C-alpha cells in the first residue's frame, strides 16, 4: 500500500466534528448552569452584605464591605416568632429527628424488601401491592387521622410522634427500593447460605445487607434529604419544642414585624440547605463507587 | 405413570440417598410425579434431561430447599423430609457459583463452619485442606469478583467440601464456563469423586458431562425418569425413542418401517426396497418380534454404520449391506459426518476423516445389526 492511499483511506479513530446537535447540547448545559447558579450567587453575596448595601437593591453587585454578621445572627439571634434565638435549635432538632428516622426506616425497608424477595409467604405479593398503593396515595389524606390517633395515645407533638411518622411514610419507598434490588440477586445465593446453615437474620445481616450497600447509599440520600427538607410533618407533628430547622426558617423569613433582613434570611436559608447539599456531594462519590462495585458481578 | 417413575430398589434406610413417592406440584402443575429413586453410597449419579424437565426441582427437594407436596427424602439412613438443609449432611454447588460477594475466598468457605460454631483451629484446618485439594491456596484472600469463572466454581466446590458431608449436590456447575474450562473442571470433579468417594448427584443438560462422569445416568423428561442405567447401557440400549434421540451427537437416525417376514424370520421394511433382517436383534426381555405390519422405528447410531463394500471379506451375519447417496458432507476434524438418504429417509453416517467420499456419490454401507435399536412407533418403547 502506498503512503498516499494510506493517508486518504479511513484508519484509526474517526475524526470528531462539531455537529449542530453538539452545539445545542452544550448551549443547553450552559443555560441550565446559569439558571441554577445565578440564584445561588445572589443568595451568597446578599448573605455577606450589611443591610445598608442590601437596601440599595443591586442584587448582583459584589459586597463592598463583606461581613459574616448576618450568618451569626441567623444562627443565634434572628427572631422566629416571639423568641429571638436564631435557627440553631432547629438545627439540633432536625438532627435528632433525621438520624433515628433515617436509620429505622432504612433498616425496616431493607428487612421488608428482604422478606418479600426471599421468604415469600401466601399473600406477600398482595402485601407488596398494598405497600405500593401506600407509596402513591397523597399523604395529606392521613394527616388528620394520624393527629387524632397520636392525641388519643397521648403522644401527639412529641419527638416520638415525628420520628414514627417519618418512619412510616418512608417505609413504602424504602421497601420498594430494597425489594427490587433483592429480587435481582440470584436466588441461588440465598440457597447456598441456607445450606451453610444461615438462618433468617444471619442471611439478612451477613449476606444480603452487605450486598446492598449501593442501595443503602441511595436510601440514605433519599431519606436524609426528604426528612431534612420536610416542613409539613414537622409543623403538624413535632410540637413547638421540637420544630425542625425548616419550620424555624419559615418563621424567620415570614416574620411580619419590622424591616425585612434579607441578608439574614439568605444566610438562614443556606444554613438549612447545607445538610442535604453536603449529603449529595459526599455520598455522590460513594454512590458512584457503590454502583461500580456492585456492577462487577460477584 | 407412577409405576413408571419408581426406581426404588430396596429399603430407603440402606441407600445413601433415597427418594420415595416424591410429588412436587405448583397448583395443578405437576413437576415431579411420584418419583422414587435409590442412590447407593459412593455413586456418581447424573440427572440428565432438557431444560425444564424437573432436574433442579429434584435436586432442591433432596437438599431441602423446596417445600415438597408429598413423599419422603432419606439421606444416610435417616428420614430427613422435615429437616433443614444444613442438617441433612449435604453440600451443594450451583450454576451461578453463588459465592458471597463481600467475603474473601477463605470466608466463603469458612462461613458455614463459623455458623456451626466450630473452633477456629478446626476451621483453618478444614479450609486449608480443601484449598490444597482445589489449588486455591494462593487465592484465599481474594474477593470472588477478583477470580475467573473456573476459580469461582472451585471455591464453590471447596465450600461444599469443608462441610465434611456424605452427599454432594451439583446443579449444572459447569454451564457458565467456556468449553475449555468446562472440560478441565469436569476432570477435576471426576478426580475429586475418585479421591473422596462421596455420593454425588449431578444435574446437567450436557450429555458429554453425563457420559464422562456418571456411574449411572437418570435421563429425565417431563418430571419422569425415562431410563436409569450406566452410561454404556443408556447409549447402546436406550429404553425409548426420547432417550435414543437425546443421547448422542449427531443424533441417532430413526428409520420408519413396518415389520415383515423375510425367509421366515422377522425383518423391517424401511421402504425403497430395503428390508433389514432382524434375525440377530436382541429383543428386550419379555418382548418378542411384533406381528407383521406393526409400525416400528429402526434406530441406528451414525458410528454404528460400516462403510466399505460387501466384497471385502467382512461379510457375516451381523451386517446388512445396502446402498445410499451422500446429500451433504460435514467434516468435523476427527471424522466426517455424511448426511445421506436410504429408502427415501435421512440417514446420518460418521466415517473416518480420511475416508474419501464425493458429494452425491452412491456408496455401500452396512448396519451393525447387533448395535441397532428397534422401537415401537406407537408407544416409543424399545422392542
Ligand atoms: N416456583 C415455581 N412455580 C411454578 N412452576 C415452577 C416453579 N419452579 C419450577 N417450576 C416449573 O417446574 C419445571 C421444572 O423446573 P426445573 O426443575 O427448574 O427444571 P430444570 O430441569 O431445567 O432444572 C419447569 O417447567 C418450571 O416451569
Ligand atoms: Mg435447572
Amino acid at each position: 500500500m502506498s503512503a498516499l492511499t494510506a493517508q486518504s483511506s479511513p484508519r484509526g479513530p474517526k475524526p470528531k466534528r462539531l455537529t449542530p446537535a453538539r452545539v445545542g447540547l452544550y448551549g443547553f448545559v450552559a443555560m441550565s448552569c446559569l439558571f441554577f447558579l445565578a440564584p445561588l450567587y445572589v443568595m451568597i453575596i446578599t448573605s455577606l452584605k450589611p443591610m445598608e448595601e442590601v437596601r440599595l437593591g443591586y442584587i448582583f453587585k459584589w459586597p463592598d464591605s463583606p461581613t459574616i454578621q448576618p450568618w451569626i445572627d441567623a444562627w443565634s439571634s434572628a427572631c422566629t416568632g416571639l423568641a429571638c434565638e436564631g435557627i440553631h435549635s432547629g438545627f439540633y432538632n432536625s438532627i435528632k429527628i433525621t438520624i433515628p428516622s433515617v436509620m429505622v426506616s432504612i433498616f425496616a425497608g431493607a428487612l421488608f424488601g428482604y422478606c418479600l424477595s426471599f421468604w415469600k409467604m401466601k399473600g406477600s405479593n398482595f402485601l407488596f401491592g398494598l405497600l405500593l398503593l401506600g407509596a402513591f396515595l397523597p399523604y395529606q389524606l392521613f394527616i388528620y387521622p394520624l393527629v387524632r390517633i397520636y392525641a388519643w395515645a397521648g403522644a401527639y407533638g412529641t419527638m416520638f410522634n415525628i420520628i414514627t411518622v417519618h418512619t412510616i411514610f418512608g417505609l413504602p419507598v424504602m421497601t420498594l427500593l430494597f425489594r427490587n434490588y433483592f429480587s435481582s440477586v440470584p436466588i441461588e445465593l440465598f440457597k447456598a447460605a441456607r445450606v451453610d446453615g444461615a438462618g433468617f437474620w444471619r442471611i439478612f445481616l451477613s449476606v444480603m445487607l452487605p450486598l446492598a450497600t449501593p442501595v443503602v447509599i441511595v436510601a440514605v440520600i433519599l431519606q436524609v434529604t426528604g426528612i431534612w427538607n420536610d416542613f409539613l410533618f414537622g409543623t403538624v407533628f413535632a410540637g413547638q419544642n421540637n420544630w425542625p430547622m425548616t419550620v424555624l426558617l419559615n418563621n424567620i423569613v415570614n416574620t411580619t414585624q419590622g424591616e425585612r433582613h434579607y441578608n439574614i434570611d439568605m444566610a438562614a436559608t443556606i444554613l438549612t440547605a447545607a445538610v442535604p447539599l453536603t449529603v449529595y456531594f459526599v455520598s455522590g462519590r460513594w454512590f458512584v463507587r457503590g454502583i461500580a462495585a456492585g456492577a462487577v458481578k460477584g | 405413570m407412577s409405576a413408571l417413575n419408581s426406581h426404588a430398589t430396596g429399603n430407603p434406610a440402606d441407600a445413601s440417598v433415597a427418594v420415595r413417592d416424591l410429588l412436587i406440584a405448583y397448583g395443578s402443575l405437576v413437576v415431579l410425579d411420584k418419583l422414587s429413586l435409590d442412590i447407593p453410597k459412593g455413586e456418581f449419579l447424573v440427572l440428565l434431561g432438557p431444560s425444564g424437565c424437573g432436574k433442579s426441582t429434584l435436586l432442591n427437594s433432596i437438599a431441602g430447599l423446596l417445600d415438597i407436596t408429598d413423599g419422603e427424602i432419606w439421606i444416610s439412613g435417616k428420614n430427613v423430609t422435615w429437616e433443614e438443609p444444613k442438617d441433612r449432611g449435604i453440600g451443594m454447588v450451583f450454576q451461578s457459583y453463588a459465592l458471597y460477594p463481600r467475603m474473601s475466598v477463605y470466608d466463603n468457605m469458612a462461613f458455614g463452619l463459623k455458623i456451626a460454631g466450630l473452633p477456629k483451629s478446626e476451621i483453618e484446618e478444614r479450609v486449608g485442606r480443601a484449598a490444597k485439594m482445589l489449588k486455591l491456596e494462593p487465592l484465599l484472600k481474594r474477593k470472588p469478583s477478583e477470580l475467573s469463572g473456573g476459580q469461582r466454581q472451585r471455591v464453590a466446590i471447596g465450600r461444599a467440601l469443608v462441610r465434611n458431608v456424605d452427599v454432594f449436590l451439583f446443579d449444572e456447575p459447569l454451564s457458565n464456563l467456556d468449553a475449555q474450562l468446562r472440560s478441565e473442571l469436569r476432570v477435576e470433579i471426576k478426580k475429586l469423586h475418585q479421591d473422596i468417594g462421596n455420593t454425588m448427584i449431578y444435574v446437567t443438560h450436557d450429555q458429554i458431562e453425563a457420559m464422562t462422569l456418571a456411574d449411572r445416568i437418570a435421563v429425565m423428561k417431563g418430571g419422569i425418569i425415562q431410563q436409569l442405567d450406566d452410561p454404556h447401557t443408556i447409549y447402546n440400549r436406550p429404553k425409548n425413542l426420547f432417550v435414543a434421540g437425546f443421547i448422542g451427537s449427531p443424533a441417532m437416525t430413526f428409520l420408519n418401517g413396518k415389520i415383515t417376514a423375510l425367509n421366515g424370520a422377522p425383518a423391517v421394511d424401511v421402504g425403497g426396497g430395503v428390508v433389514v433382517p432382524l434375525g440377530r436383534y436382541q429383543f428386550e426381555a419379555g418382548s418378542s418380534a411384533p406381528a407383521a405390519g406393526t409400525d416400528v422405528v429402526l434406530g441406528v447410531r451414525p458410528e454404528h454404520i460400516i462403510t466399505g463394500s460387501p466384497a471385502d471379506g467382512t461379510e457375516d451375519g451381523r451386517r446388512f449391506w445396502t446402498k445410499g447417496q451422500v446429500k451433504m458432507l460435514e467434516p468435523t476434524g476427527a471424522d466426517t459426518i455424511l448426511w445421506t438418504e436410504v429408502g427415501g429417509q435421512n440417514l446420518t453416517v460418521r466415517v473416518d476423516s480420511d475416508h474419501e467420499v464425493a458429494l452425491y456419490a452412491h456408496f455401500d454401507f452396512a448396519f451393525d445389526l447387533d448395535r441397532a435399536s428397534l422401537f415401537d412407533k406407537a408407544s416409543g418403547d424399545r422392542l
Side-chain angles (χ1 to χ4, degrees), chain A residues 202-236:
Chain A
R202 177 82 73 148
I203 298 176
F204 178 58
L205 296 172
S206 302
V207 180
M208 295 305 166
L209 211 50
L211 194 60
T213 325
V215 191
V216 171
I217 291 165
V218 175
V220 167
I221 296 176
L222 277 179
Q223 287 298 84
V224 168
T225 53
I227 294 171
W228 191 276
N229 289 338
D230 158 71
F231 176 76
L232 184 64
F233 289 156
T235 332
V236 177

Side-chain angles (χ1 to χ4, degrees), chain B residues 26 29 31 49-58 60 66 171-172 203:
Chain B
Y26 297 102
L29 173 74
V31 177
S51 178
C53 71
K55 309 179 295 288
S56 299
T57 305
L58 176 54
N60 282 319
L66 202 69
D171 194 349
E172 310 217 13
V203 164

Side-chain angles (χ1 to χ4, degrees), chain A residues 188-189 191 195-196 210-211 213, chain B residues 60 96 99-102 163:
Chain A
E188 295 188 336
L189 191 63
K191 290 180 175 173
V195 172
D196 265 341
L211 194 60
T213 325
Chain B
N60 282 319
S96 65
L99 299 180
Y100 312 121
R102 292 297 150 90
R163 293 170 52 75

Side-chain angles (χ1 to χ4, degrees), chain A residues 84-163:
Chain A
C84 291
E85 292 174 353
I87 207 166
H88 73 276
S89 70
F91 176 78
Y92 296 122
N93 283 337
S94 282
I95 285 183
K96 280 187 240 163
I97 294 169
T98 305
I99 287 178
S101 309
V102 167
M103 295 207 307
V104 176
S105 63
I106 291 180
F107 186 81
L111 190 63
F112 289 173
Y114 162 72
C115 289
L116 289 172
S117 304
F118 295 110
W119 298 88
K120 284 192 190 124
M121 303 161 297
K122 262 207 187 99
S124 55
N125 277 338
F126 175 75
L127 207 69
F128 185 58
L130 218 63
L131 216 61
L132 274 186
L133 192 71
F136 291 115
L137 280 181
Y139 52 59
Q140 286 82 348
L141 274 180
F142 300 102
I143 288 183
Y144 182 65
L146 278 176
V147 168
R148 296 308 304 250
I149 290 170
Y150 278 104
W152 174 81
Y156 176 67
T158 60
M159 216 40 155
F160 172 80
N161 190 167
I162 181 71
I163 289 171

Side-chain angles (χ1 to χ4, degrees), chain A residues 119-120 181 185-199 202-203 206-207 209-214 290 293-298, chain B residues 60 63-66 84-86 90-92 94-103 108-109 111-116 144-145 152 159 163 171:
Chain A
W119 298 88
K120 284 192 190 124
Y181 183 76
V185 171
I187 189 82
E188 295 188 336
L189 191 63
F190 173 74
K191 290 180 175 173
R194 282 194 65 199
V195 172
D196 265 341
R202 177 82 73 148
I203 298 176
S206 302
V207 180
L209 211 50
L211 194 60
T213 325
V296 186
K297 276 263 166 169
Chain B
N60 282 319
L65 293 167
L66 202 69
E84 281 293 304
K86 69 169 167 40
I90 51 143
M92 196 160 175
F94 299 91
Q95 176 177 352
S96 65
Y97 323 125
L99 299 180
Y100 312 121
R102 292 297 150 90
M103 297 184 199
N108 261 282
M109 292 201 265
F111 186 61
L113 306 180
K114 281 181 191 157
I115 294 174
S145 57
R152 285 181 205 184
R159 193 169 57 183
R163 293 170 52 75
D171 194 349

Side-chain angles (χ1 to χ4, degrees), chain B residues 105-143:
Chain B
V105 168
Y106 180 92
D107 287 333
N108 261 282
M109 292 201 265
F111 186 61
L113 306 180
K114 281 181 191 157
I115 294 174
L118 262 60
K120 206 163 178 264
S121 56
E122 165 97 30
I123 296 179
E124 273 172 12
E125 195 216 308
R126 287 208 205 172
V127 173
R129 193 158 11 111
K132 191 160 179 224
M133 257 178 140
L134 295 161
K135 301 185 208 87
L136 290 169
E137 279 160 320
L139 309 175
L140 284 175
K141 290 208 175 63
R142 297 219 195 146
K143 290 277 165 61

Side-chain angles (χ1 to χ4, degrees), chain B residues 238-250:
Chain B
K239 265 219 172 84
N240 57 35
L241 278 171
F242 173 77
V243 177
F246 191 73
I247 306 272
S249 172

